[in-house]
C-alpha cells in the first residue's frame, strides 16, 4: 500500500472526496495516511481528524526563506514515509527541491482546463472569475503531475463543465467541484497507487 499525504489550505472538500472514496474502497493500492495544512484554521484539518488521520501544520511565514520552508516540508513528508503527495487546494508555492525529491509523485487538482486559466495568480475563486470575465462557455478541472512550471506538469485527467449564463464565481466553483474535481482526484490517486500511470516524453499515459 502506498502512503498518500494530502496537502491542504482551506475547506478541504477535495480531501473529503478522497476520504469518501477511500471508505468506499475506491482508492486501490494506497491509503490517505497524513494531512498537512498550510493554515492552522483550515477546516480540512477537522475533516482529517474526523477520519482519524494524522495531521501536521507547516506555515510558510515561520521560515525565513523559501529554501528553508521547502527543506522542512520535505522532512515532514519523509517523516510520514510519503509515497504520493496530493495538493488538494494547497495555496503555498512549493519549490524546486520538493519537486526534485518527489519527481512525478506530486499530483495537483486545478479548477480549469489547463492550459487555459492557469499559472501564477490563478487559484481558487480567481480562476472562476477569470473564466466568467472571458465569457467562455466551457470550463472544467484538470489533475496533473507537478513539475517546476506552475500548473505545467503532465496532465493526468480532465473533465469539461458547462458555464451557465447566470453563474457567479461561487456557483461555477461549486459545479466544477461537483461535476469534475471530486470525481477526477480520487480516480487519479487510485490509478497512481495501482501503478497505472507512466510518463513518456513529458506526457502522462494511463493504462486502465
Ligand atoms: C479547489 O477548487 C481546487 O481546485 C483549488 O482550490 C479549491 C480548494 O477547495 N485549487 C487551486 O486553485 C490551485 N491552483 P477545497 O479546499 O474545498 O478542496
Amino acid at each position: 500500500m502506498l502512503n498518500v499525504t494530502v496537502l491542504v489550505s482551506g475547506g478541504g472538500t477535495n480531501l473529503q472526496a478522497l476520504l469518501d472514496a477511500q471508505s468506499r474502497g475506491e482508492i486501490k493500492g494506497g491509503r490517505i495516511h497524513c494531512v498537512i495544512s498550510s493554515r492552522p484554521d483550515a477546516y480540512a484539518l477537522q475533516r482529517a481528524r474526523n477520519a482519524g488521520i494524522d495531521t501536521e501544520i507547516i506555515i510558510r511565514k515561520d521560515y525565513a526563506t523559501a529554501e528553508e520552508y521547502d527543506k522542512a516540508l520535505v522532512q515532514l513528508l519523509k517523516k510520514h514515509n510519503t509515497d504520493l503527495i496530493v495538493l488538494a487546494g494547497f495555496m503555498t508555492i512549493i519549490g524546486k527541491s520538493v519537486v526534485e525529491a518527489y519527481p512525478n509523485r506530486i499530483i495537483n487538482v486545478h479548477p480549469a482546463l489547463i492550459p487555459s486559466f492557469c499559472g501564477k495568480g490563478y487559484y481558487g475563486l480567481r480562476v472562476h472569475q477569470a473564466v466568467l470575465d472571458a465569457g467562455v462557455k466551457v470550463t472544467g478541472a484538470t489533475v496533473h503531475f507537478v513539475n517546476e512550471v506552475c500548473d505545467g506538469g503532465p496532465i493526468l485527467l480532465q473533465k469539461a463543465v458547462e458555464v451557465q449564463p447566470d453563474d457567479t464565481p461561487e456557483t461555477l466553483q461549486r459545479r466544477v467541484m461537483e461535476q469534475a474535481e471530486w470525481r477526477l482526484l480520487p480516480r487519479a490517486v487510485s490509478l497512481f497507487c495501482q501503478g497505472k500511470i507512466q510518463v513518456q516524453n513529458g506526457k502522462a499515459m494511463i493504462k486502465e
Side-chain angles (χ1 to χ4, degrees):
M1 291 291 258
L2 298 188
N3 292 324
V4 181
T5 296
V6 184
L7 274 54
V8 296
S9 298
T13 64
N14 278 287
L15 168 67
Q16 192 64 55
L18 288 167
L19 295 172
D20 293 347
Q22 175 159 278
S23 53
R24 292 193 301 266
E26 290 171 12
I27 308 286
K28 301 200 172 70
R31 65 184 179 106
I32 292 129
H33 81 130
C34 179
V35 169
I36 299 178
S37 177
S38 64
R39 297 171 54 121
D41 59 347
Y43 185 66
L45 284 169
Q46 192 56 47
R47 295 180 190 272
R49 290 186 197 115
N50 291 346
I53 288 169
D54 281 354
T55 60
E56 300 272 8
I57 296 163
I58 181 166
I59 303 168
R60 170 65 185 87
K61 66 175 167 49
D62 287 348
Y63 298 86
T65 65
E67 289 71 27
E68 283 172 44
Y69 166 81
D70 287 342
K71 203 172 157 198
L73 179 59
V74 169
Q75 273 170 4
L76 207 50
L77 291 161
K78 291 203 166 141
K79 178 181 134 191
H80 287 277
N81 298 314
T82 301
D83 297 304
L84 171 67
I85 302 164
V86 178
L87 307 185
F90 189 62
M91 297 304 177
T92 302
I93 302 277
I94 58 166
K96 199 165 167 255
S97 64
V98 183
V99 175
E100 281 172 0
Y102 293 90
N104 291 333
R105 286 199 286 148
I106 309 175
I107 286 176
N108 180 46
V109 60
H110 182 74
L113 293 173
I114 290 174
S116 292
F117 307 106
C118 64
K120 206 163 177 281
Y122 285 95
Y123 57 86
L125 282 172
R126 288 169 183 241
V127 177
H128 304 292
Q129 183 66 62
V131 164
L132 294 177
D133 290 346
V136 297
K137 306 301 181 212
V138 174
T139 183
T142 302
V143 176
H144 64 96
F145 278 135
V146 173
N147 65 10
E148 59 291 339
V149 181
C150 182
D151 295 329
I155 290 170
L156 305 177
L157 299 172
Q158 290 188 299
K159 190 167 187 298
V161 174
E162 280 187 17
V163 180
Q164 302 296 342
D166 56 350
D167 266 332
T168 63
E170 289 79 11
T171 60
L172 185 56
Q173 178 183 56
R174 181 75 190 182
R175 188 174 319 108
V176 168
M177 284 175 157
E178 278 176 0
Q179 294 186 9
E181 296 185 48
W182 300 342
R183 300 180 191 186
L184 294 185
L185 190 58
R187 196 168 138 228
V189 170
S190 186
L191 287 168
F192 180 95
C193 292
Q194 293 172 84
K196 291 187 172 177
I197 301 173
Q198 268 180 7
V199 177
Q200 278 168 14
N201 304 323
K203 294 197 179 75
M205 318 282 190
I206 313 258
K207 303 175 288 171
E208 292 211 61

